[in-house]
Amino acid sequence: MIPRSREEIRDIIFDALGAIAPEVDPAMIVPDRSLREQVDIDSFDFLNFIIRLHETLGIDIPEKDYAELFTLDSAIEYLVGRCATHL
Amino acid sequence: MPSLGADMEAGTLVEWLTKPGDEVKRGQVVAVVETQKGAVDVEIWEAGTVDKLIVETGRKVPVGELLALLRTSGESTTAVPETPETLEPQRVATVSALAIASPSRVETAPVSAVASARLRVSPSARKLAEELGIDITLMRATEPGAVIARADIERAAKEKTTTPVATRTTTPDWHAQMRIAIAAAMSRSKREIPHYYLATDIDVTAVIRWLETENLKRSVTERLLPVVPFMRATALALHEVPELNGFWVDGAFQPSAAVHLGMAIAMRGGGLVAPAIHDADKKGLDQLMADLRDLVTRVRSGRLRSSEMSDPTVTFTNLGEQGVESVFGVIYPPQVAIIGLGRITERPWVKDGTVVVSTVVTATLAADHRASDGHRGGLFLAALGRLLQEPERLR
């Protein structure tokens, strides 16, 4: 896959979140606090969030890695790494 | 006009999706009706040929009012007399009188979609919007409650060239309307139904492990949510205690042979709806997941169907996701039970005389004491727990 910059990944995350919770202002998201808490998404929304990331980035996100997407910071870190290594 | 809830008194016919002379199939969506809880696709319950549309669009009529005349296959066109009285008119989309009370129609996440469901759009405006590529969900009527007309669409088309996305607005009375609908159903429930409540902790280690293994093999789009095996086990356990599945009507319990599982779905921005997954007991996990996905998606961005609103035979609510440990449910009349699921969590658990770490969930039942007793309710929860120990058999 193509390596992606942190900024690109952040925008992709915001797009995916925006599709699920359009009322959320990305600027208000505290980067080191739980995303699910701030955006009020349930497991169904979260699965759709993962599916969108999977489709946009072309990477597989195994269920055991879901915890890596807990906060905005950790999600960016994880996805940047995943895109760099995923073949 | 079908009853789409025990608290519904009238509905406004927003749009006909059929016309005289059309052949219609059973289950086909023939009209859009605006209720206090939003717009609903109305399905027809008999196949035939549409003979005459009685109620014109935009008119508000009480539940039970004749909407249209339908000729069934036996009746030939020529034999149809002019007067509807002698025609044995079939009522279009007569939904069971056992309609569920509170499936509050839901408009949620995309706030724009909220508006769409509350909006009344004239059919010609709807057509024009399609032609011009205008998203009706982003439209706002000139005043609350007004019907969106062609002029509004034309104006939106002009604005579209300058602003790519129309301003998103919520309809002002949507929350109030939904609260009124929920208030009516829930007040009736607490007034009329003598609830009894049971709770039990279930060791779900086996089913959660099985699910993890199963999901490892699946691509992200095919993964199952933990709630799915619980839905399946609930539907099967209801077979063992049928007095929890059905309706309390006119002083007597009417059991339902089918299990239509009403899924309580919380709305973004408040409110909830509990539309049915039909025949949940006859569906495997993959089908239930697909149905749940379809239902939640339509709840949040599309429209529900009249049958989903009117015929859940029991309700299932999962409040564990925000950390709730146990749910003490309020029954949707005329149903007689609501099954609740709390948070799936690791807890110390005694097994064979030793304390071990187990994955545990608290399952609860609120049931109508007129229709069943605590002993039977206890048997239901026991059956639920037993079924969850053998996940392979739930497939």
Side-chain angles (χ1 to χ4, degrees), chain A residues 23-44:
Chain A
E23 78 281 6
V24 169
D25 177 2
M28 298 302 285
I29 292 175
V30 181
D32 58 356
R33 253 189 63 200
S34 159
L35 269 179
R36 283 182 73 162
E37 215 172 82
Q38 296 180 77
V39 183
D40 184 20
I41 48 182
D42 61 17
S43 59
F44 186 83

Side-chain angles (χ1 to χ4, degrees), chain A residues 23 42-43 45 61 63 66, chain B residues 110 215 223 268 296 300 321:
Chain A
E23 78 281 6
D42 61 17
S43 59
D45 292 328
I61 303 168
E63 209 176 42
Y66 284 3
Chain B
N215 279 344
R223 281 176 204 160
R268 190 164 285 286
V296 176
R300 294 187 173 166
E321 300 202 358

Side-chain angles (χ1 to χ4, degrees), chain B residues 189-190 192-197 329-332 338 366-369:
Chain B
S189 175
K190 281 286 179 171
E192 293 179 3
I193 303 177
H195 289 62
Y196 69 87
Y197 305 93
V330 181
I331 301 165
Y332 283 161
I338 176 169
D368 187 335
H369 217 324

Side-chain angles (χ1 to χ4, degrees), chain B residues 15 24 27 50-51 75 83 88 95 97 103 110 117-118 175 196 199 319:
Chain B
E15 188 172 4
V24 289
V50 177
D51 191 55
E75 301 162 313
T83 44
E88 290 180 47
V95 170
R118 299 296 324 166
H175 274 293
Y196 69 87
L319 279 177

Side-chain angles (χ1 to χ4, degrees), chain B residues 200 202 233-234 236-241 376-389 394:
Chain B
T200 193
I202 300 174
T234 297
L236 293 176
L238 285 167
H239 277 301
E240 299 185 26
V241 188
R376 298 290 292 165
L379 287 178
F380 166 80
L381 288 178
L384 180 64
R386 189 185 68 243
L387 288 160
L388 287 167
Q389 302 315 308
L394 290 175

Side-chain angles (χ1 to χ4, degrees), chain A residues 6-63:
Chain A
R6 294 181 60 86
E7 288 67 34
E8 275 180 277
I9 294 285
R10 196 194 55 211
D11 289 346
I12 287 167
I13 291 173
F14 285 161
D15 281 351
L17 282 178
I20 293 158
E23 78 281 6
V24 169
D25 177 2
M28 298 302 285
I29 292 175
V30 181
D32 58 356
R33 253 189 63 200
S34 159
L35 269 179
R36 283 182 73 162
E37 215 172 82
Q38 296 180 77
V39 183
D40 184 20
I41 48 182
D42 61 17
S43 59
F44 186 83
D45 292 328
F46 190 73
L47 182 60
N48 279 337
F49 175 61
I50 300 285
I51 289 172
R52 277 177 184 275
L53 294 176
H54 157 78
E55 282 167 354
T56 314
L57 297 168
I59 55 166
D60 181 43
I61 303 168
E63 209 176 42

